[in-house]
Amino acid sequence: MNNSYIRIRHILCLVSMLIGLNTYAQTDSDHSKKFNAAQTPYQFQWDMDVVSDYRSRGLTQTFGMPAVQGGVGLMLPNHFYVGNWNSTVSSGAGYPGALLETDLFGGWAQQVDEYHINTGIYGIIYPGSNVSNYVFSPFKTGMSSGMVHNGAVFFAVQRGPFSVQQNIAFTNFESMLSPTGASTAGSAYTNLTGNFPMSSWTWADGGWSLIAHAGYQYVANYSVASYVDWKLGIEKKFASMWSANLAYTQTNANGNCSAAAISAQPYCVNKYTNSSGIGSGPTMNSGGAALFLTIKVANY
């Protein structure tokens, strides 16, 4: 069996996994990737990050400004785990009145031959947000009342440097409603990522990796809000618990803030938005291209 055939077979295997998962049956729930079936019960994990721009699924959550982040997690018996992760956010990123994102998640990890499987559930809340009378305009979607939140399930498979993950929301996606007021429950995100160690490149020995990502955000009942994102980055892991990641990301999300825009532009955001949904300050396309830096310290 020649090497070309083996490479083709591996590519077909990866594609078939992606197709099989892209049926809407989580980089939220990416926090779960730190857990795997080889870990011992009651193993405690923590991490803290400083980022120059918090990007989630290609969209800025901080209006292009820095954020402080941190999380904890605990491995439980029988490969179950629970965790919490938090980040500062901008109230104008779609979370009126909020300055904090809090993620709560739990899941189960298993290994079958060369495949690492990870599945679970997570919830995201934005404490302090309370959308009481969100202002509708051609540039912004409607939002359901109450605290902004999102609940979803996820399923991920990793083999070697490749991973594919499917998330599906069982609540309104980030409390978003379509322009007609329809629910966005059933929205889904497909995440394909490759992490390629550069240890074979002698000039780059010492914990360097290339990271490539492509994703598709489907928003139920609101096609204009669906978009594609991609990211390319390089990461350096140091001898201690520290690492640094420099990445470039871009999307085709509809966030044109020009007064000439006549179609819905759900990703045009103000720098600030109060709990009534009234925006102030400058505007920007939250899915615009960006280069951002992440500094992380973690015990795993």
Side-chain angles (χ1 to χ4, degrees):
M1 185 179 296
N2 59 46
N3 290 335
S4 296
Y5 176 79
I6 294 173
R7 285 195 297 268
I8 292 172
R9 188 180 66 175
H10 286 175
I11 292 172
L12 290 175
C13 180
L14 179 64
V15 170
S16 67
M17 284 196 302
L18 179 59
I19 293 173
L21 291 172
N22 192 22
T23 57
Y24 306 118
Q26 9 17 184
T27 187
D28 315 337
S29 70
D30 277 357
H31 317 308
S32 67
K33 290 182 177 179
K34 65 173 74 76
F35 299 97
N36 62 72
Q39 293 170 343
T40 57
Y42 306 112
Q43 182 174 337
F44 178 76
Q45 298 184 357
W46 60 267
D47 59 83
M48 293 189 66
D49 304 0
V50 176
V51 296
S52 61
D53 182 3
Y54 171 25
R55 290 272 168 161
S56 177
R57 304 181 182 185
L59 305 179
T60 181
Q61 312 297 295
T62 51
F63 206 80
M65 301 297 289
V68 178
Q69 306 171 332
V72 294
L74 182 67
M75 198 71 191
L76 300 174
N78 300 314
H79 311 306
F80 289 95
Y81 61 84
V82 294
N84 163 253
W85 185 86
N86 306 273
S87 177
T88 55
V89 297
S90 165
S91 63
Y95 320 118
L99 297 175
L100 179 69
E101 172 187 333
T102 295
D103 299 7
L104 303 169
F105 58 91
W108 178 75
Q110 188 56 275
Q111 182 168 349
V112 179
D113 297 327
E114 298 178 345
Y115 297 94
H116 298 273
I117 299 172
N118 203 327
T119 187
I121 186 171
Y122 70 88
I124 304 175
I125 60 174
Y126 297 87
S129 63
N130 184 15
V131 186
S132 57
N133 185 27
Y134 197 83
V135 177
F136 174 78
S137 78
F139 303 99
K140 295 180 180 179
T141 181
M143 296 184 73
S144 57
S145 61
M147 182 173 61
V148 179
H149 65 280
N150 184 41
V153 295
F154 65 90
F155 180 79
V157 177
Q158 178 182 346
R159 185 179 187 275
F162 295 101
S163 66
V164 61
Q165 179 169 310
Q166 183 68 63
N167 299 0
I168 181 166
F170 53 80
T171 67
N172 285 323
F173 175 61
E174 302 285 5
S175 293
M176 183 185 293
L177 297 174
S178 78
T180 62
S183 170
T184 57
S187 298
Y189 185 69
T190 303
N191 180 345
L192 179 62
T193 301
N195 191 319
F196 308 98
M198 298 162 61
S199 56
S200 60
W201 302 5
T202 55
W203 63 271
D205 276 356
W208 292 88
S209 298
L210 288 175
I211 300 173
H213 153 83
Y216 174 63
Q217 176 65 64
Y218 161 74
V219 181
N221 297 316
Y222 195 9
S223 60
V224 173
S226 300
Y227 66 92
V228 173
D229 74 284
W230 64 272
K231 179 176 71 175
L232 184 64
I234 187 167
E235 182 177 75
K236 164 66 174 176
K237 291 186 177 180
F238 300 96
S240 60
M241 299 184 293
W242 294 83
S243 65
N245 182 305
L246 182 66
Y248 176 86
T249 188
Q250 192 170 2
T251 80
N252 67 346
N254 289 300
N256 183 0
C257 297
S258 168
I262 57 175
S263 61
Q265 301 292 321
Y267 302 110
C268 169
V269 298
N270 287 97
K271 188 172 185 178
Y272 308 105
T273 307
N274 65 22
S275 59
S276 294
I278 300 175
S280 62
T283 60
M284 72 177 296
N285 176 3
S286 63
L291 183 69
F292 62 99
L293 176 67
T294 303
I295 306 296
K296 177 189 287 288
V297 58
N299 72 338
Y300 56 87

